[in-house]
Amino acid sequence: MSGAFKLQTLLTLREQAQADAERGLREAINRLETLTIEQQRLGAQAQGLQARLLQVLNGPLLSRTAAALQARDQFIVRLRDDVRQSQQQLAHHQQGPLAQALVAESQARQALLLANQELELLNRHKDQADLTQRKSAERREDHAVDDWSQARKR
């Protein structure tokens, strides 16, 4: 296997690694965007439930009968449970899937940066090898011309 072929093969592999890293970053960004939207939805839901609870707690009593007061109290208990559950979902989502997506996105950026650096280094090496090969070919050509000139003089 010639050196140029090995270098070209390695260059092709690095280009594929860079493309894979780009694809991985796109997927990580898309996942993060999806989970961020979900986090916003959960936050809005928790805020809405909290606002509804405050509205009920601060609202006027429509009826002072025992049955109405008991129904209102049960509604408040259910609403508080919903608020607590909604806040737990929000916190769980933020600490779980959203945090994992942030880490994955950061790792994907690092992988792409590394792939770009490796490809750039390999391209510089290939350019240097091409330059060396061109100079060598020019020297061989110059020697051939000199040899031809000297052979003609004889």
Side-chain angles (χ1 to χ4, degrees):
M1 209 188 228
S2 73
F5 180 73
K6 289 178 184 177
L7 190 58
Q8 185 58 46
T9 301
L10 190 55
L11 187 61
T12 300
L13 290 172
R14 292 294 179 237
E15 288 170 345
Q16 289 172 350
Q18 182 191 33
D20 290 344
E22 288 172 349
R23 187 173 34 263
L25 179 58
R26 277 193 308 273
E27 290 170 1
I29 288 172
N30 289 341
R31 175 92 173 121
L32 182 59
E33 287 174 354
T34 300
L35 290 171
T36 299
I37 291 169
E38 177 64 9
Q39 184 73 13
Q40 291 169 349
R41 185 192 69 75
L42 290 171
Q45 179 184 8
Q47 285 178 342
L49 288 169
Q50 184 67 34
R52 177 71 176 129
L53 177 61
L54 290 174
Q55 181 184 22
V56 170
L57 289 173
N58 296 328
L61 294 175
L62 300 177
S63 173
R64 294 198 185 269
T65 66
L69 291 175
Q70 184 179 11
R72 181 178 183 269
D73 287 344
Q74 288 173 351
F75 180 69
I76 289 172
V77 167
R78 279 196 318 272
L79 202 49
R80 281 187 176 141
D81 285 344
D82 290 348
V83 167
R84 187 178 66 256
Q85 183 181 8
S86 179
Q87 290 171 341
Q88 286 173 347
Q89 284 177 335
L90 180 66
H92 172 69
H93 186 267
Q94 183 176 10
Q95 295 166 1
L98 187 60
Q100 291 169 358
L102 285 166
V103 169
E105 189 257 352
S106 176
Q107 290 172 341
R109 284 189 191 282
Q110 289 292 72
L112 180 58
L113 178 64
L114 181 62
N116 285 337
Q117 289 171 343
E118 289 175 349
L119 183 59
E120 182 180 332
L121 181 65
L122 196 56
N123 275 324
R124 281 192 299 226
H125 183 69
K126 184 179 181 295
D127 291 345
Q128 186 63 39
D130 289 347
L131 180 62
T132 302
Q133 188 177 10
R134 274 196 308 276
K135 285 182 179 180
S136 179
E138 288 173 5
R139 279 194 298 273
R140 281 193 304 272
E141 187 178 311
D142 288 345
H143 285 90
V145 169
D146 287 345
D147 290 346
W148 181 76
S149 293
Q150 287 179 2
R152 224 171 152 222
K153 287 182 185 178
R154 292 186 199 154

Coordinates of all heavy atoms in Angstrom, one line a residue, residues 82-119:
D82 N -52.4 18.7 42.3 CA -52.1 18.9 40.9 C -50.9 19.8 40.8 O -50.0 19.6 40.0 CB -53.3 19.4 40.2 CG -54.4 18.4 40.0 OD1 -54.1 17.2 40.2 OD2 -55.5 18.8 39.6
V83 N -50.9 20.9 41.6 CA -49.7 21.9 41.6 C -48.5 21.2 42.0 O -47.4 21.3 41.3 CB -50.0 23.1 42.5 CG1 -48.8 23.9 42.7 CG2 -51.1 23.9 41.9
R84 N -48.5 20.4 43.1 CA -47.3 19.7 43.6 C -46.8 18.7 42.5 O -45.6 18.6 42.2 CB -47.6 19.0 44.9 CG -46.4 18.4 45.5 CD -46.6 17.7 46.9 NE -47.5 16.6 46.8 CZ -48.8 16.5 47.1 NH1 -49.4 17.6 47.6 NH2 -49.5 15.4 46.9
Q85 N -47.7 17.9 41.9 CA -47.4 16.9 40.9 C -46.8 17.6 39.7 O -45.8 17.2 39.1 CB -48.6 16.1 40.5 CG -48.2 15.0 39.6 CD -49.5 14.2 39.2 OE1 -50.6 14.5 39.5 NE2 -49.3 13.1 38.5
S86 N -47.4 18.7 39.3 CA -46.9 19.5 38.1 C -45.5 20.0 38.4 O -44.6 20.0 37.5 CB -47.8 20.6 37.8 OG -47.4 21.3 36.7
Q87 N -45.2 20.5 39.6 CA -43.9 21.0 39.9 C -42.9 19.9 40.0 O -41.7 20.1 39.6 CB -44.0 21.8 41.2 CG -44.7 23.1 41.1 CD -45.0 23.8 42.5 OE1 -44.9 23.2 43.5 NE2 -45.3 25.1 42.4
Q88 N -43.3 18.7 40.5 CA -42.4 17.6 40.5 C -42.0 17.1 39.1 O -40.9 16.8 38.8 CB -43.0 16.4 41.3 CG -43.1 16.7 42.8 CD -43.9 15.6 43.5 OE1 -44.6 14.8 42.9 NE2 -43.7 15.5 44.8
Q89 N -43.0 17.1 38.2 CA -42.8 16.8 36.8 C -41.8 17.7 36.2 O -40.9 17.3 35.5 CB -44.1 16.8 36.0 CG -44.9 15.6 36.2 CD -46.2 15.7 35.4 OE1 -46.7 16.8 35.1 NE2 -46.8 14.5 35.2
L90 N -42.0 19.0 36.5 CA -41.1 20.1 35.9 C -39.7 19.8 36.4 O -38.7 19.9 35.7 CB -41.6 21.4 36.4 CG -40.8 22.6 35.9 CD1 -40.9 22.8 34.4 CD2 -41.4 23.9 36.5
A91 N -39.5 19.6 37.7 CA -38.2 19.4 38.3 C -37.5 18.1 37.8 O -36.4 18.1 37.5 CB -38.3 19.4 39.8
H92 N -38.3 17.1 37.7 CA -37.8 15.8 37.2 C -37.3 15.9 35.8 O -36.3 15.4 35.4 CB -38.9 14.7 37.3 CG -38.5 13.4 36.7 ND1 -37.5 12.6 37.2 CD2 -38.9 12.8 35.5 CE1 -37.4 11.6 36.4 NE2 -38.2 11.7 35.4
H93 N -38.1 16.6 35.0 CA -37.8 16.8 33.6 C -36.5 17.6 33.4 O -35.6 17.3 32.6 CB -38.9 17.5 32.8 CG -38.7 17.6 31.4 ND1 -38.2 18.7 30.8 CD2 -39.0 16.7 30.4 CE1 -38.1 18.5 29.5 NE2 -38.6 17.3 29.2
Q94 N -36.4 18.7 34.3 CA -35.2 19.5 34.2 C -34.0 18.8 34.6 O -32.9 18.9 34.0 CB -35.5 20.8 35.1 CG -34.3 21.8 35.0 CD -34.6 23.0 35.8 OE1 -35.6 23.1 36.5 NE2 -33.8 24.0 35.6
Q95 N -34.1 18.0 35.7 CA -32.9 17.3 36.2 C -32.6 16.0 35.5 O -31.5 15.5 35.5 CB -33.1 17.0 37.7 CG -33.2 18.3 38.6 CD -33.8 18.0 39.9 OE1 -34.1 16.8 40.3 NE2 -34.0 19.0 40.7
G96 N -33.6 15.5 34.8 CA -33.4 14.2 34.1 C -33.1 14.4 32.6 O -32.0 14.7 32.2
P97 N -34.2 14.3 31.8 CA -34.0 14.3 30.3 C -33.3 15.6 29.8 O -32.5 15.6 28.9 CB -35.4 14.2 29.8 CG -36.2 13.5 30.9 CD -35.5 14.0 32.1
L98 N -33.7 16.8 30.4 CA -33.2 18.0 29.9 C -31.7 18.1 30.2 O -30.9 18.5 29.4 CB -34.0 19.2 30.4 CG -33.6 20.6 29.9 CD1 -33.8 20.6 28.4 CD2 -34.4 21.7 30.6
A99 N -31.3 17.8 31.4 CA -29.9 17.8 31.8 C -29.1 16.9 31.0 O -28.0 17.2 30.5 CB -29.8 17.5 33.3
Q100 N -29.6 15.7 30.7 CA -28.9 14.7 29.9 C -28.8 15.2 28.5 O -27.7 15.0 27.8 CB -29.7 13.4 29.9 CG -29.7 12.6 31.2 CD -30.6 11.5 31.2 OE1 -31.4 11.2 30.3 NE2 -30.7 10.8 32.4
A101 N -29.8 15.9 27.9 CA -29.7 16.4 26.6 C -28.7 17.6 26.5 O -27.9 17.7 25.5 CB -31.1 17.0 26.1
L102 N -28.5 18.4 27.6 CA -27.5 19.4 27.6 C -26.1 18.8 27.6 O -25.2 19.3 26.9 CB -27.7 20.3 28.8 CG -28.8 21.3 28.8 CD1 -29.1 21.9 30.2 CD2 -28.5 22.4 27.8
V103 N -25.9 17.7 28.3 CA -24.6 17.0 28.4 C -24.3 16.4 27.0 O -23.2 16.5 26.5 CB -24.6 16.0 29.5 CG1 -23.4 15.1 29.4 CG2 -24.6 16.6 30.9
A104 N -25.3 15.8 26.4 CA -25.2 15.1 25.1 C -24.8 16.2 24.0 O -24.0 15.9 23.2 CB -26.4 14.4 24.7
E105 N -25.5 17.3 24.1 CA -25.2 18.4 23.1 C -23.8 18.9 23.3 O -23.0 19.1 22.3 CB -26.2 19.5 23.3 CG -26.2 20.6 22.2 CD -25.5 21.8 22.7 OE1 -25.2 22.0 23.9 OE2 -25.2 22.7 21.8
S106 N -23.3 19.1 24.5 CA -22.0 19.5 24.8 C -20.9 18.5 24.3 O -19.9 18.9 23.7 CB -21.8 19.8 26.3 OG -20.5 20.1 26.6
Q107 N -21.2 17.2 24.6 CA -20.3 16.2 24.1 C -20.3 16.1 22.6 O -19.2 15.9 22.0 CB -20.7 14.8 24.7 CG -20.5 14.7 26.2 CD -21.1 13.5 26.8 OE1 -22.0 12.8 26.2 NE2 -20.6 13.1 28.0
A108 N -21.4 16.3 22.0 CA -21.5 16.3 20.5 C -20.7 17.5 19.9 O -20.0 17.3 18.9 CB -22.9 16.3 20.0
R109 N -20.7 18.6 20.5 CA -19.9 19.8 20.1 C -18.4 19.5 20.2 O -17.6 19.8 19.3 CB -20.3 21.0 20.9 CG -21.6 21.7 20.5 CD -21.8 23.0 21.2 NE -23.1 23.5 20.9 CZ -23.6 24.0 19.8 NH1 -22.7 24.2 18.8 NH2 -24.8 24.4 19.7
Q110 N -18.1 18.9 21.3 CA -16.7 18.5 21.6 C -16.2 17.5 20.5 O -15.1 17.6 20.0 CB -16.4 17.9 23.0 CG -16.5 19.0 24.0 CD -15.4 20.0 24.0 OE1 -15.4 20.8 23.1 NE2 -14.5 19.9 24.9
A111 N -17.0 16.5 20.2 CA -16.7 15.5 19.2 C -16.5 16.1 17.8 O -15.6 15.8 17.1 CB -17.8 14.4 19.2
L112 N -17.4 17.1 17.5 CA -17.2 17.7 16.2 C -16.0 18.6 16.2 O -15.3 18.6 15.2 CB -18.5 18.6 15.9 CG -18.4 19.4 14.6 CD1 -18.3 18.4 13.4 CD2 -19.7 20.2 14.5
L113 N -15.7 19.3 17.3 CA -14.5 20.1 17.3 C -13.2 19.2 17.1 O -12.3 19.5 16.3 CB -14.4 20.8 18.7 CG -13.1 21.7 18.9 CD1 -13.1 22.8 17.9 CD2 -13.2 22.2 20.3
L114 N -13.2 18.1 17.8 CA -12.1 17.1 17.7 C -12.0 16.6 16.2 O -10.9 16.5 15.7 CB -12.2 16.0 18.7 CG -11.1 14.9 18.7 CD1 -9.8 15.6 19.0 CD2 -11.5 13.8 19.6
A115 N -13.1 16.2 15.7 CA -13.1 15.7 14.3 C -12.6 16.8 13.3 O -11.9 16.4 12.4 CB -14.5 15.2 13.9
N116 N -13.0 18.0 13.5 CA -12.6 19.1 12.7 C -11.1 19.3 12.8 O -10.4 19.5 11.8 CB -13.3 20.4 13.0 CG -14.7 20.4 12.5 OD1 -15.1 19.7 11.5 ND2 -15.6 21.2 13.0
Q117 N -10.6 19.3 14.0 CA -9.1 19.4 14.2 C -8.3 18.3 13.6 O -7.3 18.6 13.0 CB -8.8 19.5 15.7 CG -9.3 20.8 16.4 CD -9.2 20.8 17.9 OE1 -9.1 19.7 18.5 NE2 -9.3 21.9 18.5
E118 N -8.8 17.1 13.8 CA -8.1 15.9 13.2 C -8.1 16.0 11.7 O -7.1 15.7 11.0 CB -8.7 14.6 13.6 CG -8.5 14.3 15.1 CD -9.2 13.1 15.6 OE1 -10.1 12.6 14.8 OE2 -8.9 12.6 16.7
L119 N -9.2 16.4 11.1 CA -9.3 16.5 9.6 C -8.4 17.7 9.1 O -7.7 17.5 8.1 CB -10.8 16.8 9.2 CG -11.0 16.9 7.7 CD1 -10.6 15.5 7.0 CD2 -12.5 17.1 7.4

